Amino acid sequence: MDKIKRKYFEICIGLGPKESGNDYWMCICGVREPTIQEAERFCAADVALYGGHVLGVYPIDLNTARACYDFERADRWPVFGL
């Protein structure tokens, strides 16, 4: 099976309309960058858990993702766009 080129994105979930200090940030992987609406659907369980909605989607490199997020189970993360 071909190895899929994964990209990493920070997702900001909050009450918005703008980001604030009370927002929840998470990292997802995907084969392309999701739109706000796609991220909202992809992260629906987290959005429901934390309340609010997706305020932003930001590409980050693998080194930043590994430095800022727990990658212990990254091999089991769902991949956006598959």
Side-chain angles (χ1 to χ4, degrees):
M1 184 155 115
D2 293 329
K3 185 126 175 133
I4 297 168
K5 174 76 171 148
R6 294 183 182 201
K7 299 176 183 180
Y8 295 89
F9 307 94
E10 281 188 312
I11 305 294
C12 179
I13 298 170
L15 299 176
K18 296 182 179 179
E19 296 167 17
S20 73
N22 297 321
D23 299 329
Y24 176 78
W25 290 81
M26 63 185 295
C27 182
I28 67 165
C29 62
V31 294
R32 66 173 178 83
E33 183 173 348
T35 65
I36 296 281
Q37 294 79 16
E38 290 170 328
E40 186 95 19
R41 288 189 298 273
F42 187 76
C43 301
D46 296 290
V47 171
L49 180 64
Y50 295 102
H53 53 275
V54 173
L55 301 175
V57 177
Y58 307 98
I60 58 175
D61 63 45
L62 176 58
N63 291 332
T64 302
R66 285 186 187 273
C68 297
Y69 295 96
D70 180 5
F71 264 61
E72 187 174 314
R73 294 191 222 169
D75 61 325
R76 292 184 243 163
W77 289 4
V79 178
F80 172 77
L82 289 183

